[in-house]
Amino acid sequence: MSEAEEITVNVEFSGGMERLMKDQASSIQAKLPEPATIRDLIIHVRDNVVEDKKELFSKNDTVCPGILVIINGSDWEVEDSEDTVLSNKDTVLFISTLHGG
Amino acid sequence: MPRQCEICNNARAILRRPKTGQRICNECFFYVFETEIHNTIVDNKLFKPGDRVGIGASGGKDSTVLAYVMKTLNNRYNYGLDLYLLSVDEGISGYRDDSLETVKRNKEQYGLPLLIVSYEQLYGWSMDSIVEAVGRKNNCTFCGVFRRQALDRGALMLDLDHIVTGHNADDVAETILMNLFRGDLPRLGRCTEIVTAGDGYIGRSKPFKYAYEKEIVMYAYLKHLDYFSTECTYSPNAYRGYAREFLKDLEFVRPSAILDIIHSGEAMQVASDVQLPTLAHCERCGYISSNALCKACILLEGLERGVPKLGIAKSARHAQELLANESAMKSAGKAVEPVHFELLRGKAQAMREQRQMKEQQQECHDCTATSCAFACDDDATGLCSSSKETRRCACADSNAETNAAAS
């Protein structure tokens, strides 16, 4: 695959989400073939980055309800949620809304 | 193509409100979120000027945002409240100790005084030692019962008028579902109320009752608030977990579901033939209770006698059997006699009287005396009587010196 066909996305995890990831990473870089949507990124993270308990991150090829997705500082629901198209160097943040305190 | 804010039509939208579906910008979001909390506070008359209000602070997202918003609104709308952070240390290492570090930072960041009360100090048993004794199955019962009372005890230590907690709309909807599924009618009736009576003296309220969890998390994110996010290391409440997942699935399909459930819960009335327990006071510690002994005292008794199931037993007879079987041997002797609530109330009352007295007095211009001697300042010089005396002497001295020089 040539470079032109691939995009790099900065992915961040917070609010407890990072504890589900390999090495409890709070940020990673994901390379995705172009064109890529948020749904493609979620599947990539689920299959390659989530350590175990994948069902706590994703179901039905999207994130579990209650996980906020922020693309370049704004709520994905402002755009087209799963179908939002990603560009090279975008930053996507997943925030878990854990219960309790 | 970035979408414009549907409120100001001026800036880039960064959030879709679950309540309304509106896409709005940063500034408009802060404004509507804060204003809705303000409206909840005003419409429900949660406070009056001069109230001493404790913010139940765990270091988690909800209470961190609550502390920030309460401070902001108190300044913006001149509520005239004295705000305090009140935290409970259950004694769960690797969880609460870390989250309390966040609360200590919040104390500095928001400039609010902080009181931490611990299970160890109040009851002699930390959650870590309780789990050691009872295992991981029923420990949440202990924690819940002890926490509720601990907040009331802390509130009396600070002589608070009111406690606010960070329970949000999602929490309330979840609790309504749980109580409905369990057939717990007394709780179903109570859980929708925005103000509850606490120990009967100190009111508790939930200013976030109509605030969506999503908006609270977005607020914390956009304001860069410092909060702690780890789940409790002991077994989570499975039943609540199911209710929560169910609710989140509903919200996904129909975002208004959360407010709809709250509205349904508020509209439900417990039929008059359902018997609600009458409330009295615990014989041992004076806490509000529907039995001779409150739940916390029974749980403590069970811990002390080495029959931790005592308070979890379904019936009074079962409890008697448990006590008989174990021949009521005294165990570790960890428990401290919890301070009687009447004593706490007495102390709170004394603190209040002292404050009121201080308010009536003013400080002397010369010294920091606030004694009642100053109340006799009939010539309105703003001096206490001893300072007046000192001035008079100094004056007499200087007169004497002048006279001496003249002669």
Side-chain angles (χ1 to χ4, degrees):
Chain A
M1 194 181 295
S2 77
E3 272 182 34
E5 292 169 318
E6 202 172 57
I7 58 167
T8 304
V9 179
N10 299 309
V11 189
E12 297 172 354
F13 308 102
S14 80
M17 200 83 264
E18 61 275 24
R19 273 181 293 276
L20 290 181
M21 306 300 152
K22 284 177 186 159
D23 304 324
Q24 307 214 344
S26 58
S27 71
I28 58 145
Q29 289 207 329
K31 290 193 192 308
L32 298 169
E34 222 179 353
T37 62
I38 280 281
R39 182 180 284 105
D40 298 325
L41 177 67
I42 291 168
I43 293 169
H44 171 84
V45 169
R46 181 195 66 197
D47 293 345
N48 300 297
V49 192
V50 179
E51 178 102 276
D52 49 13
K53 296 188 189 162
K54 295 192 189 289
E55 72 282 2
L56 293 183
F57 177 71
S58 164
K59 66 181 183 191
N60 303 328
D61 289 351
T62 184
V63 285
C64 294
I67 295 175
L68 304 189
V69 185
I70 318 261
I71 310 168
N72 299 329
S74 83
D75 177 14
W76 70 336
E77 289 184 57
V78 168
E79 305 296 327
D80 303 308
S81 298
E82 295 87 349
D83 298 321
T84 310
V85 176
L86 289 169
S87 311
N88 196 32
K89 303 255 167 73
D90 274 352
T91 296
V92 179
L93 166 64
F94 295 96
I95 311 182
S96 157
T97 58
L98 279 175
H99 182 75
Chain B
M1 177 66 198
R3 303 199 199 216
Q4 293 297 102
C5 172
E6 289 173 31
I7 294 178
C8 67
N9 292 314
N10 213 357
R12 188 174 74 110
I14 49 88
L15 168 86
R16 182 158 190 256
R17 295 202 78 193
K19 263 184 196 180
T20 60
Q22 279 175 312
R23 291 170 167 86
I24 60 177
C25 72
N26 232 337
E27 289 307 312
C28 288
F29 169 57
F30 294 150
Y31 180 77
V32 292
F33 181 83
E34 289 158 5
T35 305
E36 283 177 10
I37 307 305
H38 171 64
N39 291 341
T40 303
I41 289 170
V42 173
D43 292 348
N44 295 282
K45 301 188 177 65
L46 296 187
F47 319 113
K48 53 185 193 312
D51 271 357
R52 297 161 62 83
V53 176
I55 300 159
S58 67
K61 60 185 184 350
D62 300 302
S63 60
T64 301
V65 173
L66 182 63
Y68 181 88
V69 171
M70 284 298 298
K71 170 135 180 135
T72 305
L73 296 178
N74 191 32
N75 291 341
R76 182 181 304 162
Y77 296 103
N78 297 316
Y79 293 161
L81 305 179
D82 280 333
L83 296 175
Y84 296 83
L85 296 171
L86 176 55
S87 297
V88 176
D89 181 359
E90 298 93 343
I92 303 174
S93 46
Y95 168 62
R96 186 55 84 215
D97 42 2
D98 292 342
S99 74
L100 286 174
E101 288 307 311
T102 312
V103 180
K104 287 175 194 163
R105 287 198 300 276
N106 290 161
K107 168 192 178 214
E108 303 301 325
Q109 289 153 352
Y110 306 157
L112 297 175
L114 162 69
L115 174 69
I116 302 175
V117 289
S118 75
Y119 284 7
E120 178 97 50
Q121 157 211 346
L122 297 178
Y123 312 112
W125 287 79
S126 69
M127 273 313 289
D128 284 342
S129 58
I130 291 172
V131 170
E132 220 170 276
V134 310
R136 290 192 169 217
K137 188 123 185 284
N138 289 310
N139 65 76
C140 292
T141 305
F142 287 84
C143 199
V145 170
F146 286 165
R147 185 183 309 105
R148 187 168 178 81
Q149 218 194 73
L151 270 181
D152 280 323
R153 289 178 176 276
L156 284 170
M157 290 176 197
L158 288 169
D159 184 27
L160 300 178
D161 296 289
H162 199 96
I163 303 174
V164 288
T165 56
H167 293 101
N168 58 44
D170 297 53
D171 295 330
V172 175
E174 216 172 274
T175 309
I176 292 171
L177 290 179
M178 280 172 68
N179 288 330
L180 195 62
F181 295 160
R182 285 195 294 221
D184 191 335
L185 296 169
R187 284 211 178 86
L188 180 60
R190 280 200 304 263
C191 74
T192 56
E193 289 165 9
I194 189 161
V195 185
T196 51
D199 80 331
Y201 292 78
I202 298 150
R204 287 192 189 201
S205 65
K206 316 180 191 70
F208 284 172
K209 183 183 168 190
Y210 302 108
Y212 272 63
E213 187 164 67
K214 174 182 172 182
E215 296 199 353
I216 292 171
V217 174
M218 279 303 279
Y219 190 91
Y221 163 70
L222 294 168
K223 290 267 185 189
H224 309 289
L225 300 185
D226 179 7
Y227 72 90
F228 176 81
S229 48
T230 300
E231 293 228 300
C232 178
T233 42
Y234 296 130
S235 63
N237 185 334
Y239 205 79
R240 183 174 280 280
Y242 286 127
R244 176 176 166 79
E245 202 180 334
F246 176 56
L247 185 73
K248 285 285 167 202
D249 286 344
L250 288 180
E251 183 193 10
F252 184 71
V253 185
R254 180 184 152 92
S256 68
I258 288 172
L259 280 187
D260 296 341
I261 291 169
I262 296 178
H263 288 149
S264 301
E266 286 170 340
M268 268 187 260
Q269 283 207 325
V270 179
S272 52
D273 57 341
V274 174
Q275 241 198 326
L276 298 177
T278 46
L279 291 180
H281 289 99
C282 171
E283 285 171 4
R284 193 170 294 175
C285 76
Y287 194 64
I288 197 159
S289 168
S290 46
N291 297 304
L293 284 187
C294 74
K295 189 90 171 171
C297 282
I298 295 176
L299 290 174
L300 269 181
E301 175 97 19
L303 283 171
E304 276 304 289
R305 295 197 180 194
V307 273
K309 286 225 167 78
L310 188 65
I312 298 157
K314 289 277 178 278
S315 67
R317 191 198 290 168
H318 187 192
Q320 287 304 319
E321 281 166 17
L322 275 175
L323 278 178
N325 284 347
E326 297 287 332
S327 66
M329 58 157 208
K330 285 268 172 193
S331 77
K334 278 190 187 170
V336 292
E337 180 96 356
V339 180
H340 198 283
F341 266 83
E342 277 313 315
L343 191 68
L344 285 172
R345 283 179 201 121
K347 280 188 180 167
Q349 182 60 31
M351 281 162 67
R352 177 151 305 211
E353 280 162 12
Q354 223 166 34
R355 271 200 319 277
Q356 282 165 350
M357 222 150 75
K358 238 182 202 160
E359 267 164 33
Q360 284 166 6
Q361 294 165 349
Q362 291 160 300
E363 266 186 20
C364 166
H365 288 179
D366 276 11
C367 62
T368 52
T370 51
S371 73
C372 61
F374 188 36
C376 317
D377 180 28
D378 43 15
D379 52 356
T381 47
L383 297 173
C384 70
S385 42
S386 70
S387 292
K388 272 183 202 170
E389 193 56 37
T390 318
R391 278 204 184 184
R392 206 172 291 133
C393 296
C395 187
D397 285 349
S398 67
N399 279 346
E401 277 166 28
T402 325
N403 289 343
S407 61

